[in-house]
Amino acid sequence: RNWISSNGTTQTKPIPPTTNDLASTFSSLENYKMMTDQLVWHPVKYKLLFGQQADPGYRVKFVVVKSPGSTTSNNEIQSMVIASINNYFALANWDFGQSFFFTELAAYVHVQLATMISSIVFVPLAGNSQFGDLFEITSNPDEILISCAKVTDVQIVTALTDSVLGIANG
């Protein structure tokens, strides 16, 4: 999470701890297990979603339609959308292996910004992707999902058109 917030690059991406590192760090937990129990130390991973730090197949542009009559600036809306997305992906809200559904995120953002936005969608940025891809993202049993989207990944528009959504006619 620190690496994401500090705009880390692939060259500075943290390496997961080894099994021995984990066993050493959490060795005090051995005192609390039952004699017949065994602790298994397995490093876990974050699955990075949405921003430039994510794998190219998981990068998206959030497209937001501002509510008519809203006096909130576009920059404020972009910041609040990212803050809402980050709150949605708070570690306490996720379990290992849990799947992501865009409709749940969209509903959460709508509740948070009810008077400011009228719609939010995302458009995948990978060349072979199309609108509707990534509406469900699964994770492995040793992965936690996290967003690395920034305000530059949020676009404010007046309407959702085929060209805005990247939908080809025909």
Side-chain angles (χ1 to χ4, degrees):
R1 290 179 181 269
N2 290 337
W3 175 80
I4 290 170
S5 65
S6 66
N7 296 319
T9 64
T10 53
Q11 292 81 12
T12 62
K13 191 173 182 179
I15 298 169
T18 66
T19 302
N20 289 337
D21 292 339
L22 291 171
S24 175
T25 301
F26 298 105
S27 62
S28 62
L29 294 177
E30 294 283 342
N31 299 329
Y32 299 102
K33 69 178 182 110
M34 299 296 285
M35 195 166 54
T36 57
D37 291 341
Q38 179 179 6
L39 297 177
V40 177
W41 303 107
H42 180 75
V44 297
K45 301 174 241 171
Y46 280 111
K47 183 177 264 190
L48 304 173
L49 305 177
F50 311 138
Q52 290 302 308
Q53 295 163 306
D55 288 334
Y58 293 112
R59 293 180 189 163
V60 302
K61 171 179 55 174
F62 288 93
V63 180
V64 176
V65 178
K66 188 175 175 177
S67 290
S70 174
T71 58
T72 310
S73 75
N74 288 357
N75 290 341
E76 287 177 295
I77 290 174
Q78 288 172 310
S79 295
M80 288 189 270
V81 165
I82 293 302
S84 294
I85 291 169
N86 289 341
N87 288 338
Y88 180 81
F89 281 98
L91 188 57
N93 298 335
W94 292 89
D95 289 323
F96 293 104
Q98 188 173 349
S99 293
F100 162 80
F101 299 94
F102 176 73
T103 52
E104 293 174 359
L105 173 62
Y108 180 83
V109 173
H110 274 281
V111 168
Q112 302 303 307
L113 306 177
T115 61
M116 293 169 252
I117 68 169
S118 57
S119 187
I120 182 170
V121 297
F122 68 34
V123 179
L125 297 177
N128 59 348
S129 295
Q130 58 188 4
F131 181 74
D133 288 351
L134 302 178
F135 268 44
E136 178 182 0
I137 300 172
T138 58
S139 64
N140 293 322
D142 64 345
E143 289 180 318
I144 291 270
L145 302 172
I146 186 171
S147 171
C148 56
K150 308 283 187 218
V151 292
T152 54
D153 299 313
V154 179
Q155 178 184 6
I156 308 293
V157 298
T158 56
L160 297 176
T161 63
D162 288 353
S163 62
V164 167
L165 298 176
I167 299 173
N169 291 328

